[in-house]
């Protein structure tokens, strides 16, 4: 057909994908993207508002990894022989100690972290740490049962002197007790006092939640958030980090952890000195008593013998004997020290041996030092191991041998000193024979004086050693030197606000995009001319845009909106298509695939726009199954098309109703007949057309949908100048385009052309909501799916 070539232009790019069109499909729903982003950002703000901030605090320490006293070198000889385990480096052992439960338990007990204070908020509670809390709870008994206690209660501060405790009793019922600060309080979970710290009037009528947690749980919780590791692989610098919602609490905890670690290290290093100091203190108490007894004996001896000065008769003998006596004193001192150490070893089998006592035998001092260092190393390793550790077994064997060696050396020393002392006493007896002339009093006095000097010398010697030991204790250095004290950033590490907002922004865009994308995938509706042209090659005479108006009649002489102009353009195209039909009345049938596509709407307005050209127009409602014209035009007439088809005596003029305001005539469908197909085939409809062609310029016939019934195809037996096939955009399933394609290609509908209705919107179509037929045999009212309601646009 020549007219078809003019109306259907060839689109060489119909199979290409337009990026702009794809983008515009989503931009059309920009409101949903804005709403999604707004909801996501509000959700992110709410999440950040009520999610506790987590801060990270870290400290850097330097571990002292130097060898002390030669113990490491001695143990290395055993390692070379394969008698001692390899083990980790000293710094790695210190990391294990820093992460130990024992050290963390001492820190928790010191800071009293099993008791938590929280300020109750509308949504969440905030932890109050030490001076941040207006109150402090002091339990009277902090024994093992206390550190297993689990309890929580509220303290309502009434004033700076009074408060109330709100707790649950054994029956889980809430009870309230009133108290004053400082009062002893007896509760089922323990006896304690509540004291104010930085309490002021701002805390009046405010609640403080007190939570008591078992020590074991607190240790597990804190160790899970503690991280100790080397700053670099080849250094002894260790980084200690801790995460908590209270930054100040984390700083205090790390600093206290390092303090306790250094304190324990100093105590370990001071064990030998402390034991030596203890041994000296015990000896001094005994010697002080002996020295007092000797001094009192001298006083009694001189008083009883009335002595004021010693005769100078034995001066020369005494001077020659002085050196001998001094030697006797020194040997006696060595014997007593050896006896003291032997006695100590006999009574203390697993303790450290006092060192640096000045014993004459050098091997004893060396073995004592080696023994003490092995004891320290054994105790240190035993903290993290057991008696079955190969290193412990090796060390025990070494300790046994060293102890046996020390005991044997003491025995040998005592024997050697006894022999020397006997020799000196024999020499002394020879000198004493030379002073037989000295009075008995002088000789007795010298015995007492000698004893006094021995005790006094030993006393002064032990005092000196005690001072040396005190200096050693004072000079003991900790294992770790603090390089950087605990500190953290003011910005929390969690939640990360920028990442949360960015994720919310992406989510706010992604969710609407995904939903719209899925809806597009599931969407099988006809939307535009391109969708129709891809299947049906019939000419498209016009596109009727969607309108907000609910009026069925959108055409008037002074109306110039888009819908009115589209019908005027449709009128022009229709006249062009009818130009080859010659002179005389033109017959135009209006149909569609299914109900609800707007064929009655198009029929009424097409009749109106043709009537505006001063042409006589007759509109016939041939859809006798579900008539709509009378409802849309708001006319009521007792007789219609079905009456004419059934009554052969009725004349066509009796059916015609004049719609004066629209300037065209109409024949409505009449009653719903039980046999519409048979009525249309009885020949009476041809009589009606014959009469109408004599009196009108245009005849528009509103027929039934072709997909559901055969009525339209039956009417196609009569001469038709033009078939207007209405397709409603955003409503008709693309699969149903096959029906219109078959109608056109097989010429079941004469001179078929297409009118695309309600183009450009998914909400409404301008001619009323709920438009449809509702036939009982297959095609009914418009289905309003949930996603259509979701994307309803204003």
């Amino acid at each position: 057909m020549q007219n078809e070539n003019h109306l259907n232009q060839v689109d060489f790019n119909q199979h290409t994908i337009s990026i702009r069109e794809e983008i515009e499909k989503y931009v059309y729903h920009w409101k949903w993207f804005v709403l999604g982003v707004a909801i996501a950002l509000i959700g992110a703000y709410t999440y950040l508002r009520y999610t506790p901030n987590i801060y990270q605090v870290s400290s850097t320490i330097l571990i002292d990894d130097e060898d002390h006293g030669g113990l490491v070198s001695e143990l290395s000889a055993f390692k070379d022989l394969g008698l001692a385990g390899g083990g980790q480096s000293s710094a790695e052992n210190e990391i294990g100690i820093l992460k130990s439960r024992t050290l963390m338990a001492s820190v928790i007990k010191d800071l009293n972290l099993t008791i938590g204070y929280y300020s109750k908020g509308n949504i969440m509670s905030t932890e109050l740490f030490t001076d941040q809390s207006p109150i402090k709870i002091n339990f009277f008994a902090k024994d093992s049962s206390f550190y297993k206690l689990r309890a929580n209660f509220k303290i309502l501060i009434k004033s700076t002197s009074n408060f109330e405790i709100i707790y649950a009793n054994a029956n889980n019922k809430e009870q309230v007790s009133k108290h004053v600060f400082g009062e002893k309080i007896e509760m089922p979970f323990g006896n304690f006092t509540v004291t104010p710290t930085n309490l002021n009037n701002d805390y009046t009528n405010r609640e403080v939640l007190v939570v008591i947690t078992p020590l074991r749980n607190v240790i597990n919780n804190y160790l899970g958030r503690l991280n100790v590791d080397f700053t670099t692989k080849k250094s002894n610098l260790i980084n200690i980090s801790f995460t908590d919602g209270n930054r100040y609490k984390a700083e205090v905890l790390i600093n206290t952890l390092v303090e306790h670690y250094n304190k324990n290290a100093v105590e370990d290093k001071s064990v030998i000195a402390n034991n030596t100091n203890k041994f000296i203190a015990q000896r001094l108490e005994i010697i002080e008593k002996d020295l007092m007894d000797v001094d009192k004996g001298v006083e009694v001896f001189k008083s009883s013998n009335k002595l004021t000065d010693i005769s100078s008769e034995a001066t020369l003998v005494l001077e020659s004997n002085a050196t001998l006596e001094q030697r006797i004193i020194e040997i006696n001192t060595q014997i007593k020290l050896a006896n003291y150490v032997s006695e100590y070893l006999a009574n203390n089998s697993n303790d450290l041996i006092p060192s640096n006592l000045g014993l004459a035998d050098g091997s004893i001092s060396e073995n004592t030092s080696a023994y003490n260092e092995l004891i320290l190393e054994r105790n240190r390793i035993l903290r993290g191991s057991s008696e079955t550790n190969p290193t412990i077994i090796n060390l025990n064997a070494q300790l046994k041998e060293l102890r046996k060696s020390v005991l044997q050396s003491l025995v040998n020393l005592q024997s050697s000193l006894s022999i020397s002392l006997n020799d000196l006493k024999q020499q002394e007896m020879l000198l004493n024979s030379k002073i037989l002339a000295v009075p008995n009093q002088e000789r007795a006095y010298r015995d007492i004086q000698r004893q006094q000097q021995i005790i006094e010398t030993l006393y002064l010697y032990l005092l000196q050693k005690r001072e040396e030991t005190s200096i050693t204790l004072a000079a003991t250095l900790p294992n770790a030197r603090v390089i950087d004290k605990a500190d953290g950033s003011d910005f929390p590490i969690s939640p990360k606000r920028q990442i949360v907002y960015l994720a919310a922004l992406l989510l706010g865009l992604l969710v609407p995009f995904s939903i719209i994308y899925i809806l597009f995938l599931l969407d099988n509706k006809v939307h535009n001319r391109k969708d129709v042209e891809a299947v049906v090659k019939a000419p498209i005479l016009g596109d009727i845009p969607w309108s907000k108006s609910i009026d069925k009649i959108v055409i008037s002489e002074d109306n110039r909106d888009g819908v009115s102009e589209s019908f005027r353009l449709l009128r022009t195209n229709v006249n062009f298509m009818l130009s080859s039909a010659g002179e005389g009345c033109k017959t135009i049938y209006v149909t569609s695939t299914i109900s609800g596509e707007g064929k009655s709407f198009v029929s009424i307005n097409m009749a109106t726009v043709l009537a505006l050209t001063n042409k006589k127009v007759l509109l016939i409602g041939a859809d006798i199954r579900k008539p709509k014209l009378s409802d849309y035009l708001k006319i009521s007439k007792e007789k219609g098309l079905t009456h004419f088809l059934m009554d052969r005596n009725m004349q066509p003029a009796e059916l015609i109703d004049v719609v004066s305001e629209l300037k065209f005539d109409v024949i409505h469908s009449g009653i719903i007949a039980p046999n519409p197909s048979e009525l249309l085939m009885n020949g009476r409809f041809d009589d009606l057309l014959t009469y109408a062609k004599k009196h009108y310029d245009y005849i528009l016939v509103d027929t039934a949908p072709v997909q559901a019934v055969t009525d339209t195809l039956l009417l196609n037996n009569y001469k038709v100048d033009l078939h207007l096939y209405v397709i409603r955009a955003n409503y008709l399933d693309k699969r149903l385009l096959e029906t219109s394609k078959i109608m056109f290609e097989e010429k079941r509908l004469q001179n078929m052309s297409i009118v695309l209705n309600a183009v450009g919107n998914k909400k409404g179509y301008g001619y009323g909501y709920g438009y449809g037929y509702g036939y009982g045999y297959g095609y009914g009212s418009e289905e309003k799916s949930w996603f259509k309601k979701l994307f309803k646009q204003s």
Side-chain angles (χ1 to χ4, degrees), residues 452-504:
Q452 183 184 34
Q453 289 176 354
I454 292 172
I455 296 175
E456 185 176 355
T457 301
L458 182 59
Y459 181 74
L460 294 175
Y461 177 79
L462 292 176
L463 285 177
Q464 179 184 356
K465 288 299 179 180
R466 185 174 67 178
E467 292 302 319
E468 292 177 0
T469 306
S470 299
I471 294 173
T472 302
L473 286 172
T476 302
L477 297 176
N479 272 11
R481 179 161 61 93
V482 178
I483 305 301
D484 293 321
K485 284 192 174 182
D487 191 20
S489 173
D490 293 333
F491 300 98
I493 62 169
S494 175
K496 297 185 181 296
R497 297 182 177 273
Q498 294 180 348
I499 295 179
V500 170
Y501 279 120
L502 178 61

Side-chain angles (χ1 to χ4, degrees), residues 37-215:
V37 170
I39 293 175
L41 291 178
I42 292 173
Y45 172 80
T46 305
Y47 169 78
L48 294 173
R49 173 68 177 83
Y50 296 108
T51 299
N53 292 330
I54 303 299
Y55 298 90
Q56 185 176 51
V57 175
S58 61
S59 175
T60 304
I61 62 175
L62 176 63
I63 296 297
D64 182 12
D65 199 19
E66 297 180 357
D67 298 345
H68 297 287
L71 176 62
V72 176
S73 62
E74 293 179 6
L75 289 178
S76 63
F78 291 100
K79 292 180 183 178
D80 294 338
L81 295 174
L83 299 178
Q88 294 179 327
S89 67
S90 176
E92 291 174 338
N93 290 335
E94 302 308 315
I95 290 179
I97 294 174
L98 285 167
K99 297 171 67 174
S100 64
R101 297 177 61 86
T102 303
L103 183 61
M104 181 59 73
S106 64
V107 173
I108 293 173
K109 291 179 181 179
D110 186 19
L111 297 178
N112 204 22
L113 295 179
T114 56
I115 303 176
Y117 306 91
Y118 298 87
S119 176
K120 189 176 181 181
N122 295 328
I123 302 297
M124 55 183 292
S125 299
T126 304
E127 184 178 7
L128 305 173
F129 180 66
T130 60
D131 56 346
Q132 298 173 344
S133 174
I135 60 171
K136 181 180 180 181
I137 296 179
N138 305 287
F139 278 84
F140 289 103
K142 290 188 177 180
D143 50 11
S144 59
S145 60
F146 169 76
Y147 288 112
K148 296 179 181 178
L149 177 64
R150 184 189 298 273
N152 62 80
F153 54 91
K154 300 175 185 176
I155 294 182
L156 176 61
I157 301 173
K158 305 299 291 184
S159 66
T160 56
S161 58
N162 300 308
F163 65 93
E164 294 179 354
I165 296 180
I166 305 172
Y167 65 99
N169 59 15
N171 298 324
N172 205 22
K173 292 183 179 180
E174 189 175 90
Q175 289 190 350
V176 179
S177 60
K178 298 181 179 180
H179 305 277
V180 297
F181 288 108
E183 173 187 354
K184 181 179 179 181
I185 303 172
E186 296 182 357
M187 288 289 170
F189 41 81
N191 301 331
F192 57 90
T193 61
V194 180
T195 56
T197 53
N198 56 349
L199 185 61
N200 52 51
N201 293 327
D202 295 337
Y203 288 95
T204 302
N205 294 325
R206 287 181 58 182
E207 283 187 357
V208 176
L209 177 62
V210 180
V211 178
I212 304 174
T213 309
L215 177 62

Side-chain angles (χ1 to χ4, degrees), residues 204-330:
T204 302
N205 294 325
R206 287 181 58 182
E207 283 187 357
V208 176
L209 177 62
V210 180
V211 178
I212 304 174
T213 309
L215 177 62
R216 180 186 181 89
N217 294 12
V218 180
I219 292 174
N220 293 335
N221 183 15
Y222 283 18
L223 286 178
R225 290 183 278 140
L226 178 69
N227 183 45
V228 183
D229 202 357
F230 293 107
T231 55
T232 59
K233 292 183 179 180
K234 296 182 179 180
S235 73
N236 286 342
L237 286 173
I238 291 178
N239 179 266
I240 305 173
S241 62
F242 186 76
T243 56
D244 194 82
N246 190 311
R247 194 187 66 165
Y248 173 66
K249 173 184 174 182
E251 291 177 358
V252 173
L253 185 135
I254 290 182
N255 288 332
T256 308
L257 183 72
V258 175
E259 290 175 3
H260 278 251
Y261 166 75
N262 279 333
K263 179 182 177 183
N264 292 343
V266 170
E267 289 178 353
D268 289 342
K269 291 181 178 181
S270 302
V271 171
I272 296 177
N274 285 327
N275 279 273
T276 303
N277 195 28
K278 181 180 178 181
F279 170 77
I280 293 174
Q282 293 174 354
R283 294 300 101 188
L284 282 175
E285 291 181 2
I286 298 173
I287 293 173
E288 282 179 358
K289 185 177 180 181
D290 293 341
L291 187 58
M292 290 178 62
D293 292 340
V294 171
D295 290 341
K296 188 176 181 181
V298 172
E299 181 183 354
V300 172
F301 180 80
K302 286 186 177 182
S303 299
S304 60
N305 292 281
K306 297 180 181 182
L307 296 175
T308 57
D309 191 8
I310 305 296
S311 177
S312 59
E313 297 179 358
T315 300
L316 293 176
V317 178
L318 295 175
E319 288 177 354
S320 60
N321 195 35
T323 303
L324 184 60
E325 290 180 348
Q326 182 64 34
R327 181 60 180 159
I328 292 174
I329 292 171
E330 291 176 357

Side-chain angles (χ1 to χ4, degrees), residues 541-543 563-575 609:
L541 300 186
D543 301 300
V563 179
S564 300
E565 292 302 320
S566 67
F567 273 104
R568 289 184 173 90
L569 180 60
L570 177 62
R571 178 184 62 192
T572 301
N573 291 334
V574 167
N575 289 330
V609 75

Side-chain angles (χ1 to χ4, degrees), residues 341-403:
V341 174
S342 298
E343 180 183 356
Y344 182 82
L345 285 175
N347 296 328
N348 300 275
S349 59
N350 292 322
D351 291 341
L352 296 167
I353 302 173
S355 63
N356 297 328
L357 296 179
L359 293 173
D361 193 343
S363 62
I364 295 178
S365 299
E366 292 177 357
N367 290 335
T368 300
S369 299
Y371 180 90
N372 289 336
E373 288 172 352
L374 286 177
I375 282 288
L376 288 178
E377 183 65 12
R378 173 185 176 274
N379 292 340
R380 179 182 180 82
I381 297 175
L382 196 56
R383 291 178 184 172
S385 180
S386 66
E387 291 290 345
T388 59
N389 190 314
T391 302
I392 299 298
I393 296 173
N394 289 334
L395 290 177
N396 287 336
Q398 296 171 42
L399 288 172
K400 184 176 180 181
E401 292 297 326
L402 285 175
R403 183 180 182 86

